[in-house]
Structures are given as structure tokens and as C-alpha cells.
């Protein structure tokens, strides 16, 4: 049994092997950006093919979406999707209690109120039963997130949405390429949002987002909303007439060109990622007290982030709390060279903007839900632990390995990570001491 690195032993992952390249930038990416720069199509007020329209077409074709509208980033895509569906002041939007902050901010950006629902303990995605419990006459939409690259239970969510007449906007920022019963995520609901931010599975060289939908009318509304409410018609000069509320959410042509080049290599990368990660997880699956991520049956997981849950009792350490176990494992695994981290330190409803209702003006948009109230509604903090027990438990007893370490070129590195886990599990008595000393 080798000595743990946290006690001065040799780390399982040699320091010289820890570097990971992401995004992978090759000559064709550089050429794509330079060609776009020299191509004279840097603005979207011109008709015909531009790097942005090329990316929209390629994205729609590759994943099987009827319509694709490129925007500045994933958060803008979520906001514009809700706006295109008419979700605004007075409306509530149900979002998962575990996600990136943008999922909860997007309703606020439209003056609608995010309402949080608890998650499923296995997929970490919206629990349709808890969604149903939170529906009120003001609920207008649901935003299921395909968190970490795992499709949410779209059967359950679609069923709830249909029965209550709610719109569904999929937050697929972490899940391009994931499928649910053979259908691409993003187009199962009314609209879907993707992010091309540089850490995501298909990166651009900065920021970018895409909105997809199967509905031509919604796509047209989003297209106008992206550009000041204007209609940009092929073959005609821009007339600067605005037909609806609009924003400036136009994607930059250089970002689009880079993303197109990356999209061209995506299938190759995705195959490598599936092979590497399936092998890695299979190797860890038998360790007692460790739950590895698993996709729902009938879905493809695209492994944006790997979340591992830890159960001290199942690991044979019944006297240790889950928090103490997580902290000790984090210390031990990081010392071995595995970059374990927490993805989200708290459930979304505990983030300041939502907890303290920091919106616009005198308590809006929450105040808009009670237009007759003379005063801004007093905020009574909900008991978040009782309201979202699963989200709290998952944050307490899990750690993640994030995208940048799951690059398609990380096959060898993941083998070393597996050795580190095995080594730590051989030394659980030491982990117990670490946990005891720190709890
Ligand atoms: C990254 C991300 C977003 C936002 O995308 P940006 O392009 O960074 O604005 C939204 N939701 C989730 C789940 C994300 O991971």
C-alpha cells in the first residue's frame, strides 16, 4: 500500500503530466479567424452568407435543429428565448435549484421571477414532480437544464408542461450533442439555448451563444430581438426600422468562424471523450461509497462535468459526516493530483440576487407579482434546506472534475486519476483520520 501524497507520499498523477489543453487550438482555427477578418463580412447588416450564418446552418445541420439563431452568449440566448415566448413581468419561471447562476438570472432579465424546484439525486436535473408542486397561476415557463451534459427527464417535464400549458426552454449550455430518446437536446422543448463560452464542450475563442427551435415564427421573433427589433432581409439594404422590442445580441463574426472550425472536429472529439470517460468511470464504479455519474436510460451523456457522490457509511466509515468525508477526499485526491472541485457552493436560491431579491427599482420584478401591494413585499427567507433537500445533499456530499480536465486528449491522464482514486480508497483509514481531524 503506497503512502498518500497528502502525508508526503509520491502523487499518483506526476506533476509533469497534469497539464490539459483546452480549447485545442489548431492551425485551421487560426486560419478560420484570419479568413473571417479578411473576408469583409464582420457585421450582420449585410445580406447573404457571413461567418455567423454559416455557423447557424452548420449547427442546425449537425445536431438536427430546424432553426438556429447565433447570439453573444448563452445567457443572452436564454433571455432572448424567454422574451420570444412572451415571458415577462408578472410571470414565474421554474428553474432547477442546482445550476449555473445564468439559468436563474435569465427570467430576471425579462422582469419575470425565477421559482426554484429541487433536483433528481441521480441526474442532478429538475425533478418533474417538484416542478409540478411549484406551479401557480402565474407560472409561464420551465427551464430544464441538462446539467453536466446529462439530459434532464424531458418526458416528465414535457408532460407537466403540456398539462399546465407552460413553455419549455432548455438550458443546453453544457450539453451540445446530448440526446434524449434519439432527439437532440435543445429542440425537445419550445426553444433551447447553447453556450460557446471557452470552457464548454464546443468552444469559441471567447464568448458566444446559440438559440435553437423547431418553430419558424419563434426563430423569426428571436432573430429580430437579437438586432434591435429589425428585419434584415436578404438582398435589401438595412432600413433601420424596428418592429419589436429588441436588444443587441449579435454574435461577432470572428467568434463564429472559430466555433465553426471547432464544430468541424466535434465528432472526433466527442468519440474520444466517450471512450476515455466510459473507461474511467467503469474503473471507479466498484469503489465502495462512491457513486459515479450515470445517464438516464435512452439518453446520451456528453460528460461536460463529472460529479461523484460520496457516502461515508457505504465506504465503511459510519462515524463520519458527509461534509467531513467530502473535505477529506478533496484534500487527499488533490494532493494526488486529481483536480477535484465543487461546482456550485450553494443551491441557486441561496445566491444573493435571489435570496435578497436584488432586482430592479423597488423590489421588482417580485413586486410586480403583487401590483396592488402598497409596499414592496417583505422578503421572508425560506428555509432553503427544507425546500431543496436534494440540492443541498448533493452539494454536501459530492465533488466534480470539470471540463478542462476532460479534454478529448485526456485519456492517459484519466488513467492516472483512476489510480489516484484507487490509492485513496486503499487508504480510507487515513482519510477517516483526516476527516476526523477536520470535522
Ligand atoms: C455556461 C452556462 C450558461 C451561460 O452561458 P454563457 O455563454 O456563459 O453566458 C447557462 N447555463 C449553464 C448551465 C451554463 O453552464
Amino acid at each position: 500500500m503506497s503512502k498518500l501524497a497528502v502525508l508526503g507520499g509520491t502523487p499518483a498523477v506526476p506533476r509533469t503530466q497534469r497539464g490539459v489543453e483546452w480549447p485545442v487550438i489548431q492551425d485551421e482555427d487560426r486560419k478560420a479567424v484570419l479568413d473571417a477578418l479578411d473576408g469583409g463580412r464582420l457585421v450582420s447588416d449585410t445580406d447573404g452568407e457571413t461567418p455567423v450564418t454559416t455557423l447557424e446552418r452548420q449547427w442546425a445541420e449537425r445536431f438536427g435543429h430546424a432553426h438556429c439563431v447565433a447570439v453573444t452568449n448563452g445567457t443572452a440566448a436564454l433571455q432572448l428565448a424567454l422574451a420570444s415566448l412572451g415571458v415577462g413581468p408578472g410571470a414565474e419561471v421554474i428553474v432547477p435549484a442546482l445550476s449555473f447562476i445564468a439559468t436563474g438570472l435569465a427570467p430576471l432579465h425579462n422582469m419575470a421571477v425565477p421559482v426554484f424546484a429541487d433536483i433528481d439525486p441521480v441526474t442532478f436535473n429538475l425533478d418533474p414532480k417538484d416542478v409540478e408542486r411549484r406551479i401557480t397561476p402565474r407560472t409561464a415557463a420551465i427551464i430544464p437544464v441538462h446539467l453536466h451534459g446529462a439530459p434532464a427527464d424531458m418526458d416528465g417535464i414535457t408532460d407537466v408542461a403540456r398539462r399546465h400549458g407552460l413553455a419549455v426552454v432548455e438550458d443546453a449550455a453544457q450539453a451540445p450533442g446530448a440526446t434524449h430518446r434519439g432527439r437532440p437536446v435543445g429542440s425537445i422543448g419550445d426553444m433551447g439555448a447553447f453556450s460557446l463560452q471557452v470552457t464548454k464542450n464546443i468552444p469559441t475563442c471567447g464568448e458566444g451563444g446559440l438559440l435553437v427551435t423547431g418553430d419558424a415564427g419563434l426563430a423569426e421573433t428571436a432573430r429580430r430581438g437579437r438586432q434591435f427589433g429589425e428585419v434584415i432581409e436578404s438582398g435589401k439594404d438595412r432600413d433601420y426600422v424596428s418592429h419589436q422590442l429588441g436588444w443587441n445580441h449579435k454574435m461577432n463574426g470572428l467568434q463564429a468562424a472559430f466555433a465553426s472550425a471547432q464544430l468541424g472536429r466535434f465528432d472526433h472529439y466527442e468519440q474520444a471523450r466517450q471512450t476515455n470517460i466510459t473507461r474511467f468511470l467503469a474503473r471507479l464504479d466498484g469503489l465502495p461509497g462512491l457513486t459515479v455519474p450515470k445517464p438516464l436510460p435512452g439518453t446520451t451523456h456528453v460528460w461536460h462535468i463529472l460529479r461523484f457522490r460520496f457516502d461515508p457509511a457505504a465506504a465503511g466509515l459510519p462515524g463520519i459526516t458527509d461534509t467531513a468525508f467530502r473535505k477529506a477526499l478533496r484534500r487527499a485526491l488533490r494532493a494526488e493530483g486529481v483536480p477535484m472541485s465543487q461546482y456550485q457552493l450553494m443551491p441557486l436560491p441561496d445566491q444573493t440576487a435571489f435570496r435578497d431579491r436584488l432586482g430592479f427599482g423597488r423590489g421588482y420584478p417580485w413586486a410586480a407579482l403583487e401590483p396592488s401591494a402598497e409596499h414592496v413585499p417583505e422578503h421572508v427567507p425560506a428555509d432553503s434546506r427544507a425546500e431543496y433537500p436534494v440540492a443541498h445533499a448533493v452539494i454536501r456530499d459530492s465533488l466534480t472534475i470539470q471540463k478542462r480536465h476532460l479534454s478529448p486528449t485526456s485519456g492517459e491522464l484519466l488513467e492516472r486519476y483512476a489510480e489516484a482514486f484507487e490509492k485513496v480508497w486503499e487508504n480510507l483509514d487515513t482519510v477517516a483520520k483526516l476527516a476526523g481531524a477536520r470535522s
Side-chain angles (χ1 to χ4, degrees), residues 122-136:
V122 176
T123 65
F124 314 124
N125 286 319
L126 260 185
D127 170 3
K129 282 198 208 72
D130 203 53
V131 168
E132 187 142 30
R133 212 162 69 71
R134 312 218 181 231
I135 291 173
T136 74

Side-chain angles (χ1 to χ4, degrees), residues 129-201:
K129 282 198 208 72
D130 203 53
V131 168
E132 187 142 30
R133 212 162 69 71
R134 312 218 181 231
I135 291 173
T136 74
R138 295 182 291 236
T139 309
I142 309 172
I143 308 184
V145 180
H146 305 300
L147 197 68
H148 303 342
D153 175 3
M154 292 307 292
D155 290 342
I157 289 159
T158 306
D159 175 57
V160 173
R162 196 173 291 147
R163 282 188 286 104
H164 295 271
L166 308 176
V168 175
V169 173
E170 297 174 64
D171 180 343
Q174 300 188 359
T179 61
H180 182 275
R181 301 201 190 289
R183 296 174 67 191
V185 299
S187 277
I188 301 168
D190 298 284
M191 301 187 98
F194 292 93
S195 169
L196 299 172
Q197 195 266 343
V198 71
T199 64
K200 307 290 163 122
N201 279 23

